[in-house]
Amino acid sequence: MIHVKNLSHSYNKDDKYQVKDISFEVKKGEVFGFLGPSGAGKSTVQNILTGLLQLQEGEAVVADYDIKNISKDMFNKIGMSFEQSNVYSKLTAKENLDFYSKLFDVPTVDSKELLSLVGLEGKENIKAGEFSKGMKHRLTFARSMINNPELWFLDEPTTGLDPAIAADIKDIIKRKNAKGVTIFLTTHNMFIADELCDRVAFIVDGEIKLIDSPENLKLQYGEKLVEVNYIEDNEVKAETFSTILPEDKKALQTLIEKHNIQTMHTKEATLEEIFIKVTGRGLV
């Protein structure tokens, strides 16, 4: 669904590039995470792929359309949910969606159905300017689904939302993906990326450092440890063992045989820990 080759971009059109010679592909039906701290180049790439920024150097094909010659038909196939809500404050929630639906040449989803889906039922006739930040974000998210996109660009889809609503948004994303929707997820939230993405790309200072699945990254960079809580002398004690070192494996077996085990679980590196290890940078 997305093919990018040797993409570079400079806002001042000089030798100071915000995106530097990056290449990647997003397969049909995949959830692809584009991960990095603020200023890494995530939004720049996303804006180029959605036609908001002009392609300067390299090649990009989105939903089978060459970005160098963007066709109106491409926008019938893609949806975009921005991190910063850009709704019309003087229009009601329903009016916002009804207006947007008229921009497409394909069948659109009923606005009330979408508002209900994102937890805004009963708010149809309230002006968007009266909404809280989180409600505006949900309205923006609902709007991105109105044309039943085949390729869905999501920029920090759960930012500013309480945990319950964020969980609902993630469930919607999973359901859409299960129906075959390809998703390009831009975020610095490694937890949502770990939960939703088939593959992730780490981008720092405009360069992609690696691309792989969260599972493979954890296997490659994880410490492969087991943490055991057990009873000894009527006290709960804890020890950590390597699952690779022979002496640790032997000691773990002895502990299991001699003591009452309360809990035992593997210690897995988080995506954030792996990101820092690979890039040497945090996510702030």
Side-chain angles (χ1 to χ4, degrees):
M1 290 296 282
I2 300 176
H3 304 274
V4 173
K5 184 177 180 181
N6 305 125
L7 180 68
S8 295
H9 190 87
S10 169
Y11 284 106
N12 295 323
K13 296 183 179 180
D14 55 19
D15 59 354
K16 295 180 180 179
Y17 287 96
Q18 281 68 48
V19 176
K20 308 169 187 175
D21 194 32
I22 67 170
S23 301
F24 64 91
E25 291 190 357
V26 180
K27 303 171 187 175
K28 184 175 177 60
E30 182 177 31
V31 181
F32 186 84
F34 212 55
L35 315 182
S38 299
K42 304 188 303 297
S43 295
T44 300
V45 173
Q46 180 180 255
N47 289 343
I48 293 171
L49 297 181
T50 54
L52 295 176
L53 278 178
Q54 185 175 14
L55 179 69
Q56 291 180 350
E57 298 180 27
E59 302 172 10
V61 176
V62 175
D64 299 324
Y65 293 94
D66 190 336
I67 291 298
K68 290 179 182 177
N69 301 292
I70 295 180
S71 166
K72 181 181 177 182
D73 293 336
M74 184 188 84
F75 296 102
N76 288 325
K77 289 189 173 184
I78 69 172
M80 176 69 205
S81 180
F82 299 90
E83 179 182 9
Q84 301 297 328
S85 300
N86 57 346
V87 297
Y88 294 103
S89 60
K90 293 185 178 180
L91 297 182
T92 67
K94 185 177 184 302
E95 287 171 342
N96 264 277
L97 298 187
D98 288 344
F99 172 77
Y100 192 65
S101 69
K102 295 175 182 178
L103 302 178
F104 296 96
D105 298 325
V106 294
T108 55
V109 184
D110 180 74
S111 56
K112 287 187 177 181
E113 178 183 336
L114 288 175
L115 291 170
S116 177
L117 186 63
V118 298
L120 291 176
E121 64 276 3
K123 310 293 184 183
E124 298 92 344
N125 299 316
I126 297 177
K127 289 185 177 181
E130 299 176 25
F131 280 5
S132 66
K133 182 178 179 181
M135 291 170 69
K136 289 179 181 177
H137 189 79
R138 280 184 273 165
L139 180 57
T140 301
F141 184 78
R143 188 182 63 189
S144 70
M145 295 184 281
I146 204 159
N147 58 320
N148 281 310
E150 298 176 24
L151 175 57
W152 199 12
F153 290 89
L154 300 178
D155 189 3
E156 303 289 1
T158 61
T159 187
L161 302 180
D162 65 60
I165 296 296
D168 290 341
I169 295 297
K170 287 186 287 186
D171 285 341
I172 294 170
I173 295 170
K174 291 174 184 177
R175 292 200 301 270
K176 289 289 186 181
N177 179 240
K179 292 180 179 179
V181 176
T182 305
I183 298 169
F184 186 88
L185 174 66
T186 304
T187 185
H188 68 273
N189 185 327
M190 294 294 166
F191 296 103
I192 187 174
D194 194 3
E195 182 176 351
L196 297 178
C197 294
D198 298 305
R199 288 189 304 143
V200 295
F202 287 172
I203 181 170
V204 172
D205 297 329
E207 298 179 276
I208 292 179
K209 300 300 183 181
L210 61 74
I211 299 176
D212 210 334
S213 69
E215 181 180 2
N216 286 343
L217 290 172
K218 290 175 184 178
L219 289 174
Q220 182 178 354
Y221 292 96
E223 296 185 56
K224 297 180 175 62
L225 303 176
V226 174
E227 188 176 83
V228 182
N229 289 327
Y230 62 96
I231 303 294
E232 184 177 68
D233 298 329
N234 294 321
E235 293 183 8
V236 177
K237 296 185 178 181
E239 286 194 49
T240 300
F241 301 89
S242 167
T243 59
I244 298 175
L245 298 175
E247 59 270 27
D248 273 28
K249 292 167 71 174
K250 184 177 180 180
L252 175 59
Q253 182 62 38
T254 300
L255 185 70
I256 293 172
E257 292 172 354
K258 291 187 176 181
H259 296 280
N260 180 17
I261 306 299
Q262 283 205 323
T263 62
M264 183 187 307
H265 63 269
T266 56
K267 295 185 68 176
E268 189 176 68
T270 66
L271 270 187
E272 183 166 358
E273 291 170 338
I274 296 168
F275 185 92
I276 293 170
K277 184 180 291 188
V278 169
T279 68
R281 291 278 301 277
L283 288 168
V284 179

